Amino acid sequence: LTTYDGNEALANKQLVVALEALEAYPLDAQLLCAMGGYLQNQGRLDLAERSFATAVEYGQVDLATWHLSEIAKMAAVCLGLSRQLLGKNEEALKGLKAAVGRYPDSDRVCRCLLDLLIKMRRTDEAVGLAGSMPRAENVESFVSAVRGACKAVEQEWLGALGYLQSAYAAGCRDPLCLRWLTVTYLSNGQ
């Protein structure tokens, strides 16, 4: 399947091969995620969502074959992102919260939920999640960066700038902080 990656002329062939593989292994989590990605690349967001949902709900891993070690977590993130692309933010939120409940130590799952909470302007929930995420250092500055990101989404640029500059000055170099600090600087003409 991966030999067809990046070649648009072979995208349909890739789907055919993926379907053949799914006939043999219908609940293989990695195949279902791959199929979701292929469908998403072809603009079939509805079918991609179904493929990711099947991977999350019923996906199996055959321990005798090679699989990505975090395929279940990746499936949950992909399903959340697919639902957001379809405008189903509430469904994405519900699914990602359930995934964080299953995988509370997964940075990938927590970050996806955190980005959605920021996007949906749920500041209290975003700050609560940021404070409970598995982080070894700079928890306070990361929480400040999340507060700043929430202000930026609200287009409260001065408040956002204060929180984000404070987080950066305290040593936060997290991509979330850097991304929202850059957005805020640009929005302030800096």
Side-chain angles (χ1 to χ4, degrees):
L1 286 171
T2 58
T3 60
Y4 299 120
D5 284 347
N7 189 338
E8 289 185 33
L10 298 175
N12 286 332
K13 176 70 173 166
Q14 189 174 42
L15 279 177
V16 169
V17 172
L19 282 171
E20 289 173 5
L22 283 170
E23 285 178 15
Y25 305 99
L27 296 177
D28 184 89
Q30 191 158 320
L31 278 174
L32 288 163
C33 284
M35 179 60 93
Y38 304 148
L39 290 165
Q40 199 167 29
N41 287 338
Q42 291 197 354
R44 294 303 313 265
L45 299 178
D46 55 335
L47 294 176
E49 178 193 17
R50 289 175 60 189
S51 187
F52 293 132
T54 303
V56 168
E57 292 178 40
Y58 306 107
Q60 299 172 354
V61 174
D62 179 1
L63 298 177
T65 60
W66 178 86
H67 278 78
L68 294 171
S69 62
E70 295 193 351
I71 193 67
K73 298 168 190 167
M74 190 174 84
V77 168
C78 289
L79 177 58
L81 295 173
S82 286
R83 286 180 172 161
Q84 287 179 62
L85 289 171
L86 288 166
K88 299 178 178 180
N89 287 340
E90 290 297 332
E91 284 183 51
L93 183 64
K94 182 179 176 185
L96 287 169
K97 283 182 176 182
V100 166
R102 281 192 306 274
Y103 314 111
D105 293 332
S106 172
D107 191 59
R108 173 182 287 169
V109 174
C110 288
R111 283 182 177 277
C112 189
L113 175 58
L114 183 61
D115 284 338
L116 180 57
L117 289 170
I118 291 168
K119 174 183 169 183
M120 293 177 72
R121 302 174 180 193
R122 295 188 178 206
T123 302
D124 292 339
E125 291 177 73
V127 168
L129 177 61
S132 68
M133 284 175 60
R135 301 186 63 78
E137 55 191 55
N138 288 334
V139 174
E140 295 84 16
S141 62
F142 183 66
V143 169
S144 181
V146 169
R147 287 185 191 283
C150 290
K151 292 280 188 191
V153 167
E154 297 279 343
Q155 297 184 356
E156 295 179 23
W157 303 116
L158 291 178
L161 192 59
Y163 281 117
L164 292 162
Q165 283 179 331
S166 173
Y168 186 81
C172 184
R173 299 298 184 268
D174 190 273
L176 182 141
C177 179
L178 298 175
R179 180 177 71 231
W180 285 105
L181 183 58
T182 301
V183 167
T184 302
Y185 277 143
L186 289 171
S187 296
N188 284 319
Q190 299 176 333

